């Protein structure tokens, strides 16, 4: 059996959480990540028959039975993952009943997975139904994206359109746009269900006045989506109070999307 502390997925989670912390997107215990792993790869590092303990998940994740995820712990700080991954992360497998998580490694201090597990697992189910390659769900509180929530209408078309205008790359990186939910109580099955419903259509979902979710086939892809939104939101917040002299026009956004051959939300443009 190989040493779990050298596993590529533990390394990736360490580096990603440290990077996100340094960007200021994950103050205190803010943010959470779930990453679906290959069972065969996990078996090189952990004995799959050794379940440390079981934890109820509070809903049914039938289509994820037998799937294994590495998940950040609830109340845990991203800044601490690097030095103590075994306390701040856990590896769970969804049990046969679909309602229980079997802990295979981690949460060493008796802790458990993120309080946002409903939004994560329900989003995994929703994304896998439209994209079988999806593996990662990432949540964080990026500063400018959050600031923008207070001064911009929380309307999917308007929010997406404003961000597309802020950087030339935006419509190419997230042509499918951004889903937006109003403020809702976090950590609940309800916000999980609402997020998952948006995830059938979008790879990015803003939680009004809370943060953002991004997904992808790997950590980089989910991170890159959020990073691009955050950069555009920063440009917006740096310029929103100033007279707008220049802008990327809708015809130019269309030209970009067509040149790069991306399937974009035509209904989010005004031309
Ligand atoms: P957890 O510490 O439970 O992951 O919660 C952090 C968070 O961002 C809640 O939305
Ligand atoms: Zn949050």
């Amino acid at each position: 059996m190989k040493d779990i502390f050298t596993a590529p997925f533990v390394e990736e989670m360490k580096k990603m959480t440290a990077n996100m912390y340094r960007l200021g997107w994950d103050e205190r215990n803010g943010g959470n990540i779930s990453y679906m792993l290959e069972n065969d790869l996990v078996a090189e590092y952990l004995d799959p028959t050794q379940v440390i303990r079981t934890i109820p998940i509070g809903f049914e994740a039938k289509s994820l039975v037998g799937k294994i995820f590495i998940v950040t712990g609830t109340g845990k700080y991203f800044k601490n993952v690097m030095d103590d991954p075994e306390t701040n992360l856990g590896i769970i497998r969804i049990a046969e009943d679909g309602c229980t998580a079997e802990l295979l490694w981690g949460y060493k201090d008796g802790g458990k997975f993120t309080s946002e597990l409903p939004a994560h697992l329900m989003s995994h189910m929703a994304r896998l139904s439209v994209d079988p390659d999806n593996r990662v769900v990432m949540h964080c509180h990026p500063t400018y994206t959050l600031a923008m929530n207070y001064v911009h209408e929380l309307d999917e078309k308007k929010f997406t359109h404003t961000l597309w205008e802020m950087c030339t790359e935006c419509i190419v990186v997230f042509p499918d746009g951004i889903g937006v939910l109003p403020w809702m109580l976090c950590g609940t099955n309800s916000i999980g269900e609402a997020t998952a419903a948006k995830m059938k259509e979008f790879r990015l979902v803003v939680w009004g006045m809370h943060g953002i979710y991004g997904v992808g086939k790997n950590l980089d892809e989910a991170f890159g989506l959020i990073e691009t939104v955050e950069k555009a939101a920063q440009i917006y917040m740096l310029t929103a109070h100033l007279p707008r002299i220049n802008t990327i026009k809708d015809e130019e956004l269309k030209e970009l999307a067509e040149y790069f051959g991306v399937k974009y939300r035509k209904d989010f443009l005004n031309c």
Side-chain angles (χ1 to χ4, degrees), residues 123 126-131 156-157 160 174-180 194-205 215 263-265 267-268:
S123 293
R127 283 312 299 172
L128 288 168
S129 73
V130 293
D131 174 11
E156 275 159 6
K157 174 179 172 173
T160 300
F174 53 95
D176 40 350
I178 303 170
V180 179
T195 309
K198 293 287 179 200
M199 286 290 183
K200 293 230 163 120
E201 205 181 328
F202 300 102
R203 292 170 301 150
L204 284 158
V205 177
V215 299
K263 202 165 156 265
Y264 67 106
R265 285 292 296 252
D267 56 326
F268 282 7

Side-chain angles (χ1 to χ4, degrees), residues 46-259:
L46 296 173
D47 177 353
T49 65
Q50 293 299 307
V51 175
I52 299 169
R53 57 192 156 97
T54 58
I55 314 170
I57 62 176
F59 58 95
E60 200 181 351
K62 259 278 171 268
S63 62
L64 298 178
V65 167
K67 302 284 187 206
I68 299 177
F69 297 86
I70 187 163
V71 187
T72 52
T74 185
K76 299 298 189 245
Y77 296 18
F78 272 28
K79 78 177 179 67
N80 295 340
V81 174
M82 182 63 91
D83 289 337
D84 188 1
E86 198 178 2
T87 300
N88 296 290
L89 301 175
I91 296 179
I92 58 169
R93 180 175 56 208
I94 308 306
E96 209 51 52
D97 66 359
C99 302
T100 311
E102 298 170 325
L103 182 64
L104 301 178
W105 177 81
Y107 308 140
K108 199 175 66 173
D109 62 353
K112 62 182 239 177
F113 41 73
T114 173
S115 61
E116 305 296 3
L117 198 74
H120 280 258
L121 294 191
M122 291 179 195
S123 293
H124 277 286
M125 292 192 274
R127 283 312 299 172
L128 288 168
S129 73
V130 293
D131 174 11
D133 292 330
N134 196 81
R135 294 291 178 271
V136 171
V137 175
M138 180 181 281
H139 165 62
C140 57
H141 307 157
T143 312
Y144 292 95
T145 305
L146 201 40
M148 187 173 163
N149 276 224
Y150 291 88
V151 298
H152 192 285
E153 278 171 272
L154 290 176
D155 169 87
E156 275 159 6
K157 174 179 172 173
K158 289 179 184 163
F159 201 86
T160 300
H161 188 271
T162 295
L163 291 176
W164 280 352
E165 285 180 320
M166 292 300 119
C167 303
T168 294
E169 63 173 327
C170 281
I171 196 168
V172 181
V173 174
F174 53 95
D176 40 350
I178 303 170
V180 179
L181 290 177
W183 185 91
M184 290 177 77
L185 188 61
C186 55
T188 60
N189 286 351
S190 308
I191 201 168
E193 285 154 11
T195 309
K198 293 287 179 200
M199 286 290 183
K200 293 230 163 120
E201 205 181 328
F202 300 102
R203 292 170 301 150
L204 284 158
V205 177
V206 161
W207 277 7
M209 289 155 287
H210 178 138
I212 193 165
Y213 272 74
V215 299
K217 63 177 182 298
N218 52 42
L219 285 168
D220 260 0
E221 201 171 88
F223 173 81
L225 283 170
I226 296 174
E227 182 183 34
T228 308
V229 167
E230 174 64 353
K231 177 63 178 278
Q234 182 174 10
I235 309 293
Y236 177 76
M237 292 308 296
L238 288 170
T239 57
H241 56 293
L242 301 171
R244 179 86 68 90
I245 311 288
N246 301 305
T247 198
I248 305 174
K249 299 180 193 73
D250 275 33
E251 305 84 72
E252 292 166 338
L253 290 171
K254 196 170 155 208
E255 199 182 334
L256 268 167
E258 283 169 6
Y259 180 77

